Amino acid sequence: MNINKYCSKFFKYTDLINCGETFNNNMYIDNLPKSQETFGAISELCKFILDPIHDKYGKVVLTYGFASQNLTKIIKKNIYPKLDQHSGYEKNQKGEYICKRLGLACDFYMQKTKMDKVTRYIINNLPFDRLYYYRDDRPIHVSYGPDHKRQLIKMMPYKDRKIPKIISKEKFWFNWYRKSSWE
């Protein structure tokens, strides 16, 4: 597979394979997908989530995309490969999917648009699986997968970490409208 080939209107496979701080600091790591299904998942995420966002708001800045087992081994915190969908359709040494949710996830932000606005656009218009919203000035995590669960998760501060809380679309709108901190 030629990872420099476009997999959608605006994105190449390499955009999601070779992105993120950890990858950029460890470019010697083999972070190529082994499964052709993972390449398909990259393309679907780009076509159905990232391309429409790019069309509406402009350049999408990716901070984390596909993560092989090699890459996840050196990420120190704030990941959970069994649930986060960054591994696509990759399998572990036992031949089981690393993340049984399948599909693919990425984290991104926009330079000129607040992330609450992008989040509202996604939840009202796009067929996402899961979306993790941290704060308006932080990247969001969004996945596209076979479940299309449309689950919205707000990462709530708790002591020295964040804990996930599933919220409804209506609660997201209400809190945005009130300009609440949701704390």
Side-chain angles (χ1 to χ4, degrees):
M1 172 67 66
N2 178 359
I3 65 170
N4 292 309
K5 177 181 163 188
Y6 278 90
C7 59
S8 74
K9 184 176 175 182
F10 299 109
F11 296 90
K12 297 177 181 180
Y13 291 103
T14 190
D15 294 330
L16 277 90
I17 294 170
N18 297 337
C19 75
E21 182 180 345
T22 303
F23 177 81
N24 289 325
N25 290 335
N26 300 277
M27 292 204 283
Y28 60 88
I29 295 276
D30 175 13
N31 194 46
L32 288 176
K34 308 285 185 257
S35 167
Q36 287 303 309
E37 291 174 296
T38 300
F39 284 102
I42 291 169
S43 180
E44 288 180 341
L45 175 69
C46 291
K47 286 177 185 174
F48 298 112
I49 303 294
L50 298 178
D51 279 354
I53 292 167
H54 186 285
D55 273 337
K56 181 132 181 96
Y57 299 109
K59 183 175 169 54
V60 172
V61 181
L62 293 163
T63 60
Y64 187 35
F66 170 74
S68 67
Q69 286 184 299
N70 295 328
L71 184 64
T72 57
K73 285 177 188 174
I74 60 173
I75 298 173
K76 302 295 182 211
K77 61 180 182 172
N78 298 327
I79 66 165
Y80 192 58
K82 290 183 177 184
L83 295 178
D84 69 16
Q85 293 173 281
H86 287 283
S87 61
Y89 287 79
E90 301 302 296
K91 295 182 178 180
N92 61 23
Q93 292 174 341
K94 295 179 184 177
E96 299 167 343
Y97 289 115
I98 295 167
C99 177
K100 290 178 176 50
R101 291 177 174 173
L102 304 175
L104 195 83
C106 69
D107 298 8
F108 73 94
Y109 68 92
M110 309 299 294
Q111 290 181 327
K112 297 180 179 181
T113 307
K114 292 185 177 188
M115 294 313 293
D116 65 336
K117 185 174 184 176
V118 176
T119 298
R120 288 192 317 278
Y121 173 74
I122 294 169
I123 63 178
N124 287 315
N125 298 287
L126 302 179
F128 69 98
D129 191 27
R130 288 170 175 84
L131 188 151
Y132 287 75
Y133 179 86
Y134 292 82
R135 290 190 326 244
D136 200 38
D137 61 342
R138 296 275 321 273
I140 60 172
H141 167 103
V142 65
S143 65
Y144 182 88
D147 291 344
H148 293 298
K149 195 165 183 171
R150 300 185 56 77
Q151 189 174 67
L152 182 58
I153 298 107
K154 168 73 170 120
M155 297 303 289
M156 305 293 290
Y158 178 76
K159 297 185 181 178
D160 62 341
R161 59 190 177 105
K162 304 248 186 241
I163 57 169
K165 180 179 180 182
I166 297 171
I167 63 169
S168 68
K169 172 181 165 180
E170 294 76 22
K171 185 167 183 174
F172 184 84
W173 276 100
F174 177 76
N175 283 297
W176 169 80
Y177 179 74
R178 287 187 40 221
K179 305 287 187 205
S180 167
S181 68
W182 302 13
E183 315 287 333

